[in-house]
Amino acid sequence: MKEKDVFCKIIDGEIPCYKLYEDDDVLAFLDISQVTKGHALVVSKQHFDNFLATPQDIMHKVMDVAQRIGQVEIKLMGAEGVNILTNCYPAAGQSVMHFHVHVIPRYNDKGGFVLEMHDNSEGLNLPAIAQEIEKSLK
Ligand code: AMP
């Protein structure tokens, strides 16, 4: 049998967490690394490897809780912004292979958060790229 990942262990009560929210399908708790103050994780209770592998109804429930935590952090915790992100596969920085959404409140300073997006479009055929993705979505 595959070894349980750390979030399955938290869900099963084998590892403690700072719980923020729980229902039948979703658990939210503080990320142990606190990239910024209030950094939260929202996870599906059922194991799915990542966002892309999660059925829509469960994914929607997880995103709903992520939205609510983000709203609370803006309204009540003095956050000025929130990054809501989910990494899929190690190439994108996923280290725990269990669907989770990061809710990272942002204050005046950067805290421990760095996300840089640089323009890398030179030489790319944007119409062809768009066409390929569009036709696959039909
Ligand atoms: P990712 O790199 O997107 O897969 O994120 C995994 C996150 O899980 C990291 O931000 C870790 O700090 C966090 N994490 C790992 N173990 C625990 C734990 N026991 N309790 C809370 N957060 C954890």
Side-chain angles (χ1 to χ4, degrees):
M1 208 174 95
K2 223 170 125 183
E3 223 221 300
K4 272 188 194 176
D5 64 75
V6 65
F7 296 162
C8 279
K9 288 182 183 167
I10 288 174
I11 290 157
D12 290 347
E14 293 166 20
I15 292 181
C17 71
Y18 295 100
K19 187 160 79 178
L20 304 176
Y21 175 87
E22 182 170 17
D23 64 28
D24 288 347
D25 301 302
V26 180
L27 179 68
F29 50 91
L30 289 181
D31 190 304
I32 203 77
S33 70
Q34 290 296 287
V35 160
T36 63
K37 187 185 78 177
H39 177 186
L41 294 174
V42 189
V43 311
S44 58
K45 280 195 173 172
Q46 208 181 327
H47 178 94
F48 301 103
D49 282 350
N50 59 40
F51 170 84
L52 298 178
T54 302
Q56 257 188 11
D57 58 334
I58 300 290
M59 182 268 286
H60 289 162
K61 287 176 182 177
V62 169
M63 295 310 292
D64 177 61
V65 175
Q67 183 190 48
R68 289 167 59 195
I69 293 172
Q71 287 167 343
V72 164
E73 291 183 329
I74 295 273
K75 269 195 206 136
L76 303 176
M77 287 189 56
E80 292 175 9
V82 183
N83 290 95
I84 295 184
L85 62 97
T86 181
N87 300 323
C88 299
Y89 301 110
Q94 187 181 4
S95 62
V96 178
M97 299 302 132
H98 182 126
F99 173 40
H100 58 282
V101 175
H102 293 261
V103 182
I104 304 176
R106 304 298 299 278
Y107 307 95
N108 276 330
D109 60 347
K110 273 187 163 180
F113 187 89
V114 180
L115 175 67
E116 290 182 357
M117 295 196 207
H118 300 288
D119 184 352
N120 200 27
S121 62
E122 203 178 311
L124 293 180
N125 184 343
L126 296 192
I129 295 167
Q131 202 180 36
E132 187 175 358
I133 297 172
E134 186 189 23
K135 91 173 174 242
S136 306
L137 289 173
K138 279 187 182 142

